Amino acid sequence: MADTKREIERKYEGPPAGGDAPLPDLTDVPGVSGVIDKGVAELDATYYDTADQRLATASLTLRRRTGGDDAGWHLKLPVSEGVRDEIRAPLSDTVPEDLTALVRSRIREAELVPVVRLLSARDIRHLVDASGTLLAEVSVDRVRAERLSGGAGSAEWTEIEVELADDGDPAFLDKVEKKLRKAGIKRSASASKLAKALEDTAPRKPEKAEKPEKAGKPEKAGKPEKAGKAGTTDKAGKAGKADKAGTTDKVADASKATMTAAKPEPPDSPPHTAGAHILTYVRDQRDAIVELDPAVRRDVPDSVHRMRVATRRLRSTFRSYGKILDRTVTDPIGVELKWLAAELGVDRDQEVLTEHLTAALDDLPSDLVTGPVQARLSTWSGARRSGSRQRLIAVLDGKRYLDLLTTLDTLVAGPPLQEAASKKPEKVIAKAVRKDFKKVADLVGEALELPPGSERDLAMHDARKKAKRTRYAAEAATPALGEPAADLVKSMKSLQTLLGDHQDSVMVRGSLRELATEAHEEGENAFTYGVLYGRAEQRAAAVEAALPGEWEAIEGQGAV
């Protein structure tokens, strides 16, 4: 079973391999009372990746290491600069399935192979305070890297690593760094040993041979060369259209998508067209889904919700901006995104329901609680969540989900742009947002005209979904339209929250009916469930009473 350790560290450049020990006297660092020499550990690590280095591209590292006090398999996931979560598993001959699953969204069906071997002599020192408590571990690593695939190069270097002790104050690393800087030691240019090893052992590109200087011949060949260029342009134009159509076909049929996982695109210049703005937003949501996959598998708090939001944002964008991205291509992808959001929602909806029911029960005076209500609620929630977790992991391991990720890569690489995509964003994007806003207005108006009851509940739920879509459309529009779009995001979020409270009440009441039935069948007193039901009903009535005033303020503000 894999376990997790939060790793906070900084790396610094050391002298060339074989040079003098580079560390200054660290007893002068504020808070340090002693520096304990822990000796030298011989470490042997083999790093694994796909042949096209998808993990390294995403700043992930997967290794099998022997030596030291933490021998085993280590997967490092970036959290922020200098902070990573290290997932550990026991030594084995093959990559543990638990770790393979955590990189599945990156590697898809590709094989993990050894890419680099690092042999390190690690000279370790512990910085401790007056009570002997560990503050940080400082090591001087003399490293030899050997390329195992994609070349046969080797490299050697020395680096200094300062790792904060568990539960330590990150500000302490600043104090150590100040001392190192005074000694002339600077931060490493490489984010990790693997990154440096891949760079230093990469096959050298052959130098281009210099062209012979024969002035006469190029001049004579000038006209034919010019004519050749013209012919090439015509062919390239036709080929470009055919290639675009081929990509569209791949995107429209996810089951036939065979493209390898796309590497993150380099930062582009600021977008100037409607298409460029929307594609930036689409790419961000695609990246969010892929990046959140390991967190969802690890059951990190709020990760399911965030992944579901990214999925919904992407689907909403396809629907809102059909004048920019061809919906004959994006609609089938939208169907798959709706499926994924629903699968993620099984777990998320159960979380929300449990939170609401628990909070409502905690608010009740003790004399209104009869029978084992808390125990039944815990059993009911646990059984549902256990089943939904297993189902969700199966979804993330399934072909349908992986095909969807590949299809999104294909779309980002070859977007099905419409004619309007090349126009200025101020008109095209603003028009799409206004269209969505009008749909919200129509649905809210319809809900307000209905009497309280199931029909109004459904109408308010539809208005909530449309408000959410309009909010996402405005989010995508904000970089292009500025403050008006940002204001619309806020107003739609406020409306979404209000209508969401109403929908939560509808769901809570349904769950309370289910719990009350179960309790009654077991011979328990169902009084408390009735009290909670009545309170949930009152909350829904309060939302319905507040909606006209809330909407009047929003409608007065208008769209972008």
Side-chain angles (χ1 to χ4, degrees):
M1 177 63 71
D3 61 341
T4 304
K5 179 182 183 298
R6 176 61 56 89
E7 180 183 82
I8 303 175
E9 66 179 18
R10 297 181 186 178
K11 295 180 182 295
Y12 302 87
E13 293 182 0
D20 295 333
L23 288 178
D25 182 5
L26 297 176
T27 55
D28 292 341
V29 175
V32 175
S33 293
V35 178
I36 303 174
D37 189 343
K38 304 297 289 186
V40 177
E42 299 293 337
L43 308 176
D44 187 345
T46 299
Y47 287 76
Y48 286 71
D49 204 338
T50 60
D52 53 357
Q53 296 178 14
R54 298 180 197 180
L55 299 187
T57 299
S59 299
L60 307 179
T61 60
L62 174 63
R63 73 187 179 201
R64 180 186 188 276
R65 191 169 78 181
T66 57
D69 58 4
D70 63 347
W73 286 90
H74 306 150
L75 170 64
K76 297 192 179 187
L77 306 173
V79 176
S80 58
E81 184 178 1
V83 182
R84 295 185 292 183
D85 278 343
E86 183 176 274
I87 319 298
R88 297 177 176 179
L91 276 176
S92 61
D93 293 335
T94 58
V95 182
E97 290 184 7
D98 287 352
L99 301 189
T100 301
L102 292 177
V103 297
R104 182 66 68 199
S105 66
R106 299 287 184 183
I107 67 172
R108 314 294 162 78
E109 299 301 326
E111 182 184 4
L112 289 168
V113 297
V115 291
V116 166
R117 183 185 184 191
L118 296 184
L119 301 170
S120 303
R122 169 164 290 182
D123 191 357
I124 305 169
R125 294 167 179 80
H126 282 181
L127 307 186
V128 298
D129 64 13
S131 66
T133 300
L134 179 66
L135 300 173
E137 179 177 284
V138 181
S139 62
V140 179
D141 294 344
R142 289 181 169 80
V143 186
R144 174 177 173 78
E146 300 173 355
R147 191 83 170 210
L148 301 178
S149 65
S154 64
E156 293 185 8
W157 71 90
T158 299
E159 70 177 37
I160 301 166
E161 187 176 290
V162 183
E163 181 174 348
L164 190 67
D166 293 346
D167 302 320
D169 182 0
F172 178 71
L173 295 181
D174 294 332
K175 299 175 183 178
V176 177
E177 179 161 314
K178 184 177 181 180
K179 181 68 176 178
L180 295 177
R181 284 186 177 277
K182 285 184 177 179
I185 298 170
K186 60 183 180 179
R187 289 276 195 104
S188 174
S190 299
S192 66
K193 288 183 176 67
L194 176 62
K196 181 171 178 59
L198 289 172
E199 180 180 357
D200 290 359
T201 65
R204 293 182 178 275
K205 294 181 180 180
E207 297 183 4
K208 293 182 179 180
E210 294 184 6
K211 295 181 179 179
E213 295 182 5
K214 295 182 180 179
K217 289 185 178 180
E219 290 179 4
K220 291 179 182 179
K223 288 185 179 181
E225 184 180 346
K226 186 175 182 181
K229 284 183 179 179
T232 302
T233 302
D234 290 341
K235 290 179 180 178
K238 292 178 181 178
K241 290 181 180 178
D243 185 56
K244 183 177 178 181
T247 301
T248 300
D249 290 340
K250 289 181 182 178
V251 173
D253 185 359
S255 65
K256 295 180 181 179
T258 57
M259 177 183 174
T260 57
K263 295 182 179 180
E265 293 78 5
D268 297 322
S269 57
H272 299 293
T273 65
H277 274 283
I278 299 307
L279 281 175
T280 297
Y281 190 76
V282 166
R283 186 179 298 116
D284 288 345
Q285 306 319 311
R286 185 276 311 267
D287 291 348
I289 293 171
V290 172
E291 290 166 6
L292 283 165
D293 179 290
V296 170
R297 293 174 185 270
R298 294 163 55 206
D299 203 14
V300 173
D302 203 39
S303 59
V304 172
H305 172 61
R306 290 165 59 204
M307 188 174 184
R308 190 184 189 192
V309 167
T311 303
R312 285 175 160 175
R313 279 174 171 154
L314 197 49
R315 179 169 177 256
S316 293
T317 301
F318 290 157
R319 299 179 72 185
S320 296
Y321 293 105
K323 295 293 184 181
I324 294 174
L325 294 171
D326 187 355
R327 286 196 60 174
T328 62
V329 175
T330 60
D331 277 357
I333 304 175
V335 171
E336 296 303 287
L337 290 168
K338 183 178 181 180
W339 160 77
L340 178 58
E343 294 292 351
L344 291 165
V346 172
D347 203 41
R348 173 59 182 169
D349 290 345
Q350 185 59 39
E351 282 184 45
V352 173
L353 273 174
T354 301
E355 289 169 3
H356 282 299
L357 289 167
T358 301
L361 184 60
D362 289 343
D363 285 343
L364 277 185
S366 58
D367 59 342
L368 294 181
V369 180
T370 59
V373 181
Q374 183 62 63
R376 177 160 295 282
L377 174 58
S378 298
T379 301
W380 172 82
S381 175
R384 285 191 164 203
R385 180 159 171 73
S386 175
S388 62
R389 281 295 303 168
Q390 293 173 6
R391 177 184 175 123
L392 180 55
I393 296 303
V395 166
L396 298 183
D397 285 336
K399 185 175 185 300
R400 185 175 181 179
Y401 167 70
L402 297 177
D403 283 349
L404 172 58
L405 296 185
T406 300
T407 301
L408 293 174
D409 289 341
T410 306
L411 181 135
V412 168
L417 297 174
Q418 301 273 60
E419 183 179 351
S422 61
K423 297 180 180 180
K424 292 183 178 180
E426 290 78 6
K427 291 185 178 180
V428 179
I429 294 179
K431 184 177 180 180
V433 175
R434 286 194 294 269
K435 184 178 179 181
D436 277 348
F437 183 80
K438 184 179 183 304
K439 292 178 180 177
V440 175
D442 292 342
L443 287 170
V444 171
E446 178 185 332
L448 291 175
E449 291 176 0
L450 292 170
S454 59
E455 287 189 21
R456 174 180 268 196
D457 291 345
L458 183 59
M460 292 179 71
H461 183 46
D462 288 341
R464 172 177 172 259
K465 290 190 291 184
K466 195 64 66 176
K468 189 181 299 184
R469 173 174 160 182
T470 305
R471 172 189 167 189
Y472 296 153
E475 281 181 355
T478 298
L481 305 182
E483 189 173 347
D487 290 342
L488 183 60
V489 171
K490 293 177 183 177
S491 62
M492 287 297 99
K493 185 176 181 180
S494 176
L495 178 63
Q496 179 188 331
T497 299
L498 185 68
L499 295 174
D501 289 343
H502 186 274
Q503 179 61 16
D504 287 341
S505 170
V506 173
M507 299 299 293
V508 163
R509 281 178 278 164
S511 297
L512 286 168
R513 282 194 295 269
E514 181 181 334
L515 284 163
T517 300
E518 291 179 2
H520 178 73
E521 290 175 352
E522 293 294 327
E524 298 169 8
N525 191 323
F527 169 77
T528 301
Y529 303 105
V531 174
L532 292 173
Y533 188 98
R535 289 193 167 197
E537 204 168 34
Q538 289 178 344
R539 286 194 294 274
V543 170
E544 292 177 22
L547 180 58
E550 177 83 10
W551 177 247
E552 184 179 354
I554 292 173
E555 196 172 28
Q557 175 184 318
V560 295

